Amino acid sequence: MKEGHNPYIVGITGGSASGKTRFLNSLIGKFTSDEVCLISQDNYYRPRHLQPVDENGVQNFDTPHSINHEEYANDIRKLKQGVIVEREEYTFNNPEATPSKLIFKPAPIIVVEGIFVFYYPEVSELLDLKVFIDARDYIKLKRRIIRDRDERGYDLEDVLYRYEKHVAPTFDKYIKPFKYEADVILPNNRDDAFDRSLDMLVTFLRSRI
């Protein structure tokens, strides 16, 4: 970090399965752990018994109410102040997964990631740069099917139900309206566009270190 400068905080959002994880992994891989800290909204879900349920009694993890955004914002503030943050990994309903102890260390670049990071005012106001990852609906659905099957143990019927009843309405109501508040909109439908967007952001962030 440049002497006397606060960390530069980048918010990255987009619809569920828009390719944020791939983009983030590629982005973080361009820096050392001393240069960049990634803190994800996914580890701030409220306990399962506090999750909202829909009209059919199915837990809905895709609403702003699913996230403990107060704790999320507070931990981002701590990192901005130079304080190390510890938290247990959130594993959704995967019985095979053992939660890891996560340690977030302050760095010149702090990447804040999640589908609601523009929606929560207390998180959004901390961001120096807002990046929106954009992808077509059919691409997002394909990625969601694969991810939820492999990482969260959902079968195809469950994934499609959640996409229709939870994911798509949430995108329209809580995510898409903030797209044009972003400083940068990055298309993530083709590999060549992905690579150009990544190179552009990496070059810019290096100038902030």
Side-chain angles (χ1 to χ4, degrees), residues 44-52 59 61 66 68 87 90:
Y44 289 83
Y45 280 90
R46 300 187 190 278
R48 289 185 61 84
H49 69 279
L50 296 178
Q51 290 297 324
Q59 287 178 317
F61 289 92
S66 298
N68 191 331
R87 190 169 186 87
Y90 195 88

Side-chain angles (χ1 to χ4, degrees), residues 7 58 73 90 96 108 133 135 146 153 171 179 190 200 203 208:
V58 178
Y90 195 88
E96 304 299 323
I133 307 294
I146 294 171
F171 179 76
K179 176 177 177 178
R190 306 189 321 271
M200 178 188 69
T203 299
R208 308 300 303 189

Side-chain angles (χ1 to χ4, degrees), residues 9-141:
I9 303 180
V10 183
I12 298 182
T13 195
S16 178
S18 58
K20 294 188 302 300
T21 298
R22 179 192 173 201
F23 187 86
L24 286 162
N25 288 341
S26 300
L27 176 66
I28 299 304
K30 301 290 185 179
F31 298 89
T32 69
S33 58
D34 292 330
E35 294 173 325
V36 174
C37 171
L38 169 64
I39 183 165
S40 175
Q41 172 195 285
D42 280 357
N43 290 303
Y44 289 83
Y45 280 90
R46 300 187 190 278
R48 289 185 61 84
H49 69 279
L50 296 178
Q51 290 297 324
V53 296
D54 64 18
E55 66 274 14
N56 295 313
V58 178
Q59 287 178 317
N60 185 355
F61 289 92
D62 291 283
T63 80
H65 312 293
S66 298
I67 308 295
N68 191 331
H69 52 92
E70 297 92 346
E71 286 190 10
Y72 190 33
N74 190 48
D75 283 353
I76 297 168
R77 290 190 198 99
K78 287 179 181 178
L79 287 171
K80 186 175 182 178
Q81 295 163 2
V83 178
I84 293 175
V85 171
E86 296 184 4
R87 190 169 186 87
E88 186 176 278
E89 178 187 24
Y90 195 88
T91 59
F92 293 87
N93 70 335
N94 191 342
E96 304 299 323
T98 301
S100 301
K101 183 179 181 180
L102 305 175
I103 299 177
F104 305 105
K105 297 181 179 179
I109 304 293
I110 298 174
V111 178
V112 175
E113 176 274 330
I115 61 175
F116 300 124
V117 298
F118 293 1
Y119 175 79
Y120 303 124
E122 62 267 52
V123 174
S124 181
E125 67 186 11
L126 296 171
L127 306 177
D128 296 307
L129 180 71
K130 295 181 178 180
V131 179
F132 191 100
I133 307 294
D134 202 20
R136 297 187 180 97
D137 289 343
Y138 76 90
I139 294 177
K140 290 188 289 185
L141 177 57

Side-chain angles (χ1 to χ4, degrees), residues 162 173 184:
R162 291 176 185 274
K173 186 174 182 180
V184 182

